[in-house]
Each structure stands twice: as C-alpha cells, then as structure tokens.
Amino acid sequence: MIQHSKNAKVLFNSPKDIFVKNLGPTINTPFSEHSPVISSDDKILLFTSRGENVTGANTSAEGAKKGEGNLASDGEYYEDIFEAERIDDENWSKPRSLSGVLNGKGHDASIQVFDNDTKMLMYRQDKAGDIYYSEKAGGDWTEPKRLNDNINSNQFESDAYITPDGLTIYFSTGKYSEDGTLDIYYATRQPGGDWGAAKSVGSNINTKYDDDSPFLSKDGKTMYFSSRGRNTMGGYDIFKSEYDSIGRRWGQAENMGYPVNTPDDDSYYRLSPDGSYAYLSSYRIGGYGEKDIYTINYIKNAIIRGKVISSRDSVTVIPGVELVFSGTQADKTALSYRDVTKPDSGNYEVTVLSGRTYQVAVSKDGKNITTEEFAVPVATKDSTVIEKNFYVPYMDTTSAGMFAFKKIYFDTDKYNLRPESVTELNNIGRILKANPGLNISIEGNCDSRNTDEYNMVLGQNRADAAYNYLKRNGIGETRMVTTSYGERRPAAPNDSPENMQLNRRVEFRVILKEGESMDKMKVTQPAAPAAGAKRTTTTGTTRTTGTGSTGTSTGNQLVPGKSKVKMADGTKVKTKVDEDSDKVKVKTEGPNGEESKTVIKEGEIDSKVKDAEGKTKLQVEGATPANLTPTTTPATDSTQMAPMTTPATDSTRTAPANMNATPTDTTTVKP
C-alpha cells in the first residue's frame, strides 16, 4: 500500500488529457454497476448490476424466511445482467433485466457480444465461477452453455474476450497460479470447433497479483487489461500492452495513468465500436455509490475561428492582428497556438486542444491591444468548430487602412450588381458612415476575353456601379475615387471559368483619411482626393483634381506592356509599362492638338503639357508626391482634356494638367 501511494503521487502529478464522464443515474445506482458491453452499432448497452431490481435467489429456506431471496452471502444483492438503449449522446433508456433464462442461482455478469451481436459471453457463479455463452433466438437469449474444460476449471474464471474472427479467446483464470490469483491465458479454436489447450500471454502481462479483464483493440495489436500488480495506484488499474509481431509476444505493460486510473478499483476497460472512446467500471469520488460505469474520452482538438472586430463600432474587422492562445496540458506542459487575421477577410483560425481555458493575447504591429480569457469546452470529436469573435478597443487610422472589404464579382461582360454584391456594399457603407475619416478607391477589373481597350471601359463601368450605389446610400462623392485596371491586374490566371470569375471583380482599398496631408502618405499607398475636389470621370479613365501617389502598388504588380485608349471626346491615351514595372509613360493627344507627356520612374514624376499651338503650359521635373501640393484650378481647354492617369497604370493616379506644383529644390515650374 505504501508503494501504491508512491505510484499514485507520480501518476497523479502527470495526468493525461482525458475526459471521464459518469453515465448518470439511469444506469448507475448506489450499488455496484460494472462489466459494460456495447453492441456493434453503439446503441445497446449490456451491463451488470447489484442493484435492488436483481432477481438472483438465495434458495435456502432460512434465507427465504428472512426475506433474503435476493441477497448473496456478502450481504449485497446478487449480480444480474441488464440492457439499456441509447436515446442520444447523453441519455439511455430505463434498463431492463435480462434475467429470464440468463438468471442462475447466483451471480450472472455480462462479458462480451460477438458474431454480429448474436452471441454473448457471460460469467455465471457455477463452482468457483465459469465462462458461459448464450445465443440470440427470436429476439431473446437462449439458455447459457458452459465453455469446455480447457477454459473453465475448479478455480475462478472471471472474464474473457473472443477475437472478431472467432478463432482465439483470451480469459482470466486462477487455475495455473499457486495461490489462486488470476492470470490471463489464451486458447485457439481447434479444427473440430472447440477450444484447445490454454497458454499464458507471458510475463510482460501476468504478475504474481491478479491480472484480469482482457480486451483487444479491433486490429488485435493492443491488449487492455486490469491488474493489481506493477505500478498500480491502488486496487485494480487499467494497463495496456502492444503486440510485437516480430518477437511474437506481448510487450511491456504500461499503466494508462490518471484520470483513467484512481487509488481504488478500475476495471473492465472496453473500447467503443469505432475505438474513439471507451467504457470503464470504476469506484471513484463523484460516483453514485459503489462501482459506476463511466466513459473515457481522449480530449480532442477543436477549431476556433472568427474575426477580430473593433469594439468602437462593432463592425470594422481588423486584418493583420496576431492572436496567441496560451494554455497548458493536463500535466502543466505549456501550449501555444498562433494565427494572424487575414488581409482580405480579417478571419483567423487556430486548432487548439480543447477542455481548458486559454489566455488570448491580441496584438497589432508588435503592440498588445488586449488580453482576455477564453474557455474552450471539452471536445471529444475532431470535427468540433467554435465560432469566436474578439472585440478589441482598436481602430486603425493610418493611411494604409486596416479595413478589410470583400471583393464583389460580376457576370461575364456585365456590370450590374449581384444581390450578394449589394449586401457587401451595404456593409461598406456602414463602415464608411461609422468612420467619416475613411476614404476608398473603387477599382474595376476584368478577365481577358476581350480587347484591352474594351476591358478598360468595362472595368470602369463596374467601378462606377459600386460608386453610384454607395453615393445613393449617403456616402459623399469626395470620399471615393474610381479606377479601372481592365485586364491588367489579374487575381488569377485566365485559364479556367473559375479563375476568370475571380478576375471579374471590383476591389475596395482604403486610401487617405479625410484631413490628412499628402506628405504623411507613403508613396506605395493610393492617394485621396484633396478636400473639396470634384470627381469627374470619362470612359475608361479617372480624373481627380489634385495629385496622387506614385510607386509600386501595394496590391498586384502591374503587367508590363502597352495600351491605347480613345476616349469619348476624341482624346487618345497611350500607356507603356516597362518590363520591370518600375517605369511608366503616359502620352495624350487632344482632339485640338493638345499634348501631354508624363513619365513616372522610381517614385519621381516628369510631366509636360502643351496647348494646341505647341506652347508649354506646365512642366514638372523630378517631382515626388510629397513635393506636390494639390490645388484646384479652373478647367481650361489645355488642362481638362489631358488626363495623366490611365486605368492601365496602377502606379499613378495623377493629373498634372489639372494641378499647380509648388516649387521646391526638386520641382521646376515653367510658364
């Protein structure tokens, strides 16, 4: 017992992640319930009870006179076999006794059902106790028959297990020990159909103490059994042994640990039909009396997924947020799981070990936003999914914007809004209204099944459709700019209908918040129109009075190549993107001979505008977006018709002909 206590301390301090659950008062009583047997479909439970409803009989006249007809010599009720049907995952029907022909003069106990649940092994108190079997006929069980003398003896035979092929039986017997303690033996079926001579399973399983209740996994490679020997915590503990197919013997037994085992008796470990959990008979704290039947579930992983949302408006999802789930295993080993919210949706997803409370640290750009606790309930199935949104006190106000807007998609050669697009536009409208300092770029895209010129116009029509809807729903026109990329910025190769659908889209990108000055904006970010600027659009292009940014887009890389567009007023626009996409040339020719030329290279702008007579009206050399202060000038024939940004140019949204440049060290303005 001293050694048991030492063993218990070791096992208790290194627990397993296992969920032990009592089957409840429908099955368990203040008396002993044990020997669970589950049908192959997991819907019928056979078990043994010593409760008040048993029918075992004390046949002595004196016993009957004293009213002890159901009492055994130890003063408790006899054991009988009961059956219950599963109602759902949590509940069972009221058990019914299977006494009838199965009821002997003493104890009767369930052991196993086999052969498609048509046969049952059972224990009967005959002599010192033997193994019997019964067959099912007409929905009921027949009179039990005793197994042959190679299995049964004048000693105690307690429990048994027949392999699925019906050719091998493992059983516990006191026949071969000097002091009658139980050991586990096995026998194989002979050609005549009966059991042959018994053989020991070996010293890796059997000890000088009781070794009982054998049960094999479906593949026959693992034996589970009960033993009072080795490093038991006290009484019977559950052990397991793996079969060594090369050495043709059972390996060293391993204690199943706490909380499968306790300092009292734990026995009759039986796997469910699919092997995902087990049944167990145990006498432990929290039960209904003596031994109860429990289920043993290994705690499984659960998928936790959701979004991180700003608590300031309860709408804005925040991409780029790191979530770290920190917890411990049952043995106090640290656990840590991490994910970052996605840039397009703001979603996160982690797979964590269930059945514990996690500390969730939420951070952005290396700075902690908040830490909170999240209790994950026990999951006993790998498919468990838990939705969890985190509402945090954070609102991104940088010019890059951390609002994740979903893309909207279009049918082939169409620019009318789909119902799901209207839903997303409503969501965008809500966010914009909740954040008056937020501006967006609405960017139309196409697949490649038409000409570049045609797709430029179609992309603009798609962007305009989204723009007009938001405007009708109360979003100010100065907070939105539109751009068409045509087929120049594919999201996927145009090699399948599914990929081409991904390219027929409008994207929404956050630009500069209202009131923020241009010199605070990074050159890799899209520009916002100046306060009070007027948005004017011509087919296939965007014109905004004010200047934009240059450089490589934060989105997809520009596709190198050339394009030509003729606008409704006769203006011709030519665009060329170099092979490395680091240099963009834009030329325009107005219907009256006006010309403009803009070159954007490595973040600098060189621009020149001439009127119909060839006189230079504006020249900007070596300017960068930070050097340019946008102002609104009256439109003239020489300025209004010279758009310096074409939809095919992701890197530039400027219209030098519509702006004045403030002279600096790197900017020259010539009349």
Side-chain angles (χ1 to χ4, degrees):
M1 292 182 69
I2 292 173
Q3 186 58 47
H4 290 170
S5 298
K6 292 179 179 178
N7 296 338
K9 286 182 178 180
V10 172
L11 294 170
F12 184 81
N13 287 322
S14 54
K16 310 292 185 182
D17 272 299
I18 290 172
F19 180 55
V20 181
K21 184 178 181 181
N22 193 296
L23 257 61
T26 302
I27 301 297
N28 295 312
T29 70
F31 305 92
S32 177
E33 279 74 38
H34 60 86
S35 302
V37 174
I38 194 70
S39 62
S40 58
D41 60 5
D42 207 6
K43 293 182 178 179
I44 302 295
L45 175 69
L46 302 178
F47 65 99
T48 302
S49 176
R50 298 191 72 174
E52 296 174 308
N53 297 322
V54 302
T55 56
N58 185 334
T59 57
S60 69
E62 183 179 357
K65 184 177 180 180
K66 293 180 179 180
E68 297 175 350
N70 292 348
L71 297 180
S73 59
D74 59 4
E76 296 185 26
Y77 296 106
Y78 282 95
E79 294 175 335
D80 266 2
I81 302 172
F82 288 80
E83 178 185 82
E85 296 183 12
R86 184 186 295 280
I87 298 174
D88 53 38
D89 287 344
E90 304 291 332
N91 299 290
W92 296 89
S93 66
K94 182 179 179 180
R96 69 182 185 95
S97 174
L98 296 183
S99 56
V101 294
L102 297 183
N103 182 39
K105 297 180 180 180
H107 297 294
D108 302 287
S110 50
I111 292 180
Q112 181 191 4
V113 288
F114 60 102
D115 277 0
N116 294 321
D117 302 342
T118 61
K119 297 177 182 178
M120 175 169 57
L121 284 180
M122 59 174 289
Y123 166 84
R124 172 167 284 185
Q125 188 184 0
D126 182 20
K127 300 181 181 179
D130 285 339
I131 308 299
Y132 284 70
Y133 79 97
S134 175
E135 299 186 52
K136 211 166 194 178
D140 211 343
W141 297 100
T142 62
E143 178 68 31
K145 298 178 181 178
R146 182 176 179 272
L147 299 187
N148 71 10
D149 289 343
N150 285 327
I151 308 300
N152 292 309
S153 69
N154 292 329
Q155 298 297 319
F156 181 37
E157 280 72 45
S158 170
D159 204 1
Y161 174 83
I162 291 179
T163 56
D165 60 11
L167 299 179
T168 306
I169 184 171
Y170 293 83
F171 62 101
S172 51
T173 176
K175 175 180 180 181
Y176 302 99
S177 63
E178 296 180 357
D179 55 0
T181 55
L182 295 172
D183 284 326
I184 298 175
Y185 278 70
Y186 72 99
T188 55
R189 195 179 292 278
Q190 301 302 298
D194 215 339
W195 299 109
K199 299 179 181 179
S200 172
V201 295
S203 60
N204 282 341
I205 291 179
N206 291 323
T207 67
K208 63 179 181 180
Y209 303 97
D210 287 318
D211 304 289
D212 193 9
S213 188
F215 184 89
L216 270 65
S217 60
K218 186 175 292 186
D219 61 9
K221 296 180 180 179
T222 305
M223 180 187 293
Y224 301 91
F225 63 99
S226 302
S227 177
R228 296 183 191 270
R230 296 185 179 79
N231 60 330
T232 173
M233 295 177 70
Y236 277 112
D237 272 7
I238 308 297
F239 290 80
K240 69 175 181 179
S241 173
E242 304 291 337
Y243 188 72
D244 179 2
S245 57
I246 298 177
R248 300 180 65 84
R249 63 179 182 177
W250 290 99
Q252 189 65 43
E254 175 189 346
N255 191 301
M256 294 282 284
Y258 176 82
V260 172
N261 295 313
T262 68
D264 214 296
D265 283 336
D266 307 285
S267 55
Y268 305 107
Y269 187 90
R270 302 289 186 259
L271 290 174
S272 65
D274 64 1
S276 64
Y277 68 99
Y279 292 86
L280 170 76
S281 178
S282 181
Y283 181 41
R284 62 181 66 198
I285 295 173
Y288 288 91
E290 229 267 1
K291 289 185 181 70
D292 281 352
I293 298 175
Y294 294 81
T295 54
I296 301 292
N297 287 272
Y298 285 87
I299 295 176
K300 301 294 183 69
N301 290 333
I303 297 172
I304 314 298
R305 66 189 183 192
K307 300 176 183 292
V308 177
I309 301 173
S310 172
S311 60
R312 297 186 182 182
D313 60 12
S314 299
V315 173
T316 303
V317 294
I318 312 173
V321 175
E322 182 182 51
L323 299 98
V324 178
F325 289 68
S326 300
T328 58
Q329 297 183 34
D331 61 2
K332 306 304 179 184
T333 302
L335 293 172
S336 183
Y337 306 94
R338 173 189 177 274
D339 196 20
V340 178
T341 54
K342 304 300 182 290
D344 57 340
S345 63
N347 292 334
Y348 77 91
E349 182 175 301
V350 294
T351 300
V352 305
L353 186 61
S354 67
R356 65 214 64 239
T357 297
Y358 288 92
Q359 298 291 323
V360 185
V362 183
S363 61
K364 181 77 170 65
D365 299 327
K367 298 180 181 179
N368 182 264
I369 301 173
T370 186
T371 301
E372 60 181 85
E373 286 190 346
F374 179 49
V376 180
V378 171
T380 56
K381 297 180 180 178
D382 286 322
S383 58
T384 302
V385 177
I386 300 172
E387 302 286 344
K388 171 62 177 176
N389 292 333
F390 289 92
Y391 292 84
V392 300
Y394 179 86
M395 180 70 74
D396 178 56
T397 57
T398 64
S399 58
M402 295 310 299
F403 295 85
F405 298 127
K406 294 181 180 178
K407 305 174 183 68
I408 62 174
Y409 296 93
F410 295 83
D411 295 333
T412 302
D413 203 27
K414 303 291 184 183
Y415 55 89
N416 50 305
L417 298 174
R418 295 175 176 176
E420 65 269 21
S421 300
V422 171
T423 300
E424 178 57 22
L425 287 169
N426 288 336
N427 177 57
I428 293 172
R430 285 192 297 270
I431 294 174
L432 292 174
K433 290 176 182 178
N435 300 274
L438 190 66
N439 301 326
I440 60 171
S441 173
I442 304 172
E443 303 169 358
N445 297 269
C446 307
D447 62 36
S448 62
R449 283 185 289 184
N450 213 314
T451 64
D452 184 51
E453 292 80 1
Y454 183 90
N455 286 332
M456 300 297 280
V457 176
L458 179 59
Q460 185 63 49
N461 288 337
R462 288 171 174 170
D464 286 344
Y467 168 88
N468 291 330
Y469 183 89
L470 291 170
K471 181 179 176 181
R472 288 195 303 270
N473 283 271
I475 305 303
E477 62 181 19
T478 60
R479 301 179 61 190
M480 301 179 288
V481 294
T482 61
T483 302
S484 173
Y485 294 114
E487 64 188 63
R488 287 301 193 89
R489 196 171 65 172
N494 287 283
D495 56 6
S496 69
E498 294 78 14
N499 282 348
M500 285 189 281
Q501 173 63 93
L502 295 176
N503 292 330
R504 298 193 301 270
R505 71 196 190 280
V506 162
E507 296 184 12
F508 304 89
R509 298 185 187 275
V510 174
I511 48 176
L512 198 62
K513 69 175 184 177
E514 232 173 303
E516 187 173 19
S517 61
M518 287 291 296
D519 60 356
K520 293 182 180 179
M521 189 179 68
K522 299 177 182 178
V523 298
T524 57
Q525 297 165 354
K534 181 180 179 182
R535 174 191 179 278
T536 58
T537 304
T538 59
T539 304
T541 65
T542 298
R543 299 181 186 178
T544 303
T545 54
T547 187
S549 65
T550 65
T552 304
S553 168
T554 56
N556 297 23
Q557 186 75 9
L558 277 176
V559 178
K562 299 179 180 180
S563 69
K564 297 180 181 180
V565 178
K566 186 174 182 179
M567 297 187 295
D569 62 359
T571 300
K572 299 177 182 178
V573 182
K574 298 180 180 179
T575 304
K576 180 181 178 182
V577 181
D578 278 5
E579 195 66 33
D580 296 330
S581 299
D582 60 352
K583 183 177 181 181
V584 180
K585 295 181 180 179
V586 182
K587 284 186 177 182
T588 67
E589 295 180 8
N592 299 318
E594 309 91 343
E595 295 181 358
S596 70
K597 179 180 178 181
T598 301
V599 178
I600 304 98
K601 183 176 181 181
E602 297 179 352
E604 293 189 351
I605 301 172
D606 290 328
S607 184
K608 183 183 292 186
V609 179
K610 294 182 179 181
D611 61 15
E613 298 177 358
K615 296 180 180 180
T616 300
K617 304 293 291 183
L618 176 67
Q619 183 167 327
V620 182
E621 297 177 356
T624 63
N627 301 135
L628 302 177
T629 302
T631 59
T632 303
T633 60
T636 66
D637 290 342
S638 63
T639 59
Q640 189 179 14
M641 302 183 68
M644 302 313 297
T645 300
T646 70
T649 308
D650 187 17
S651 301
T652 177
R653 290 170 177 74
T654 63
N658 286 346
M659 70 182 178
N660 289 331
T662 302
T664 68
D665 292 340
T666 57
T667 305
T668 303
V669 179
K670 297 180 181 180

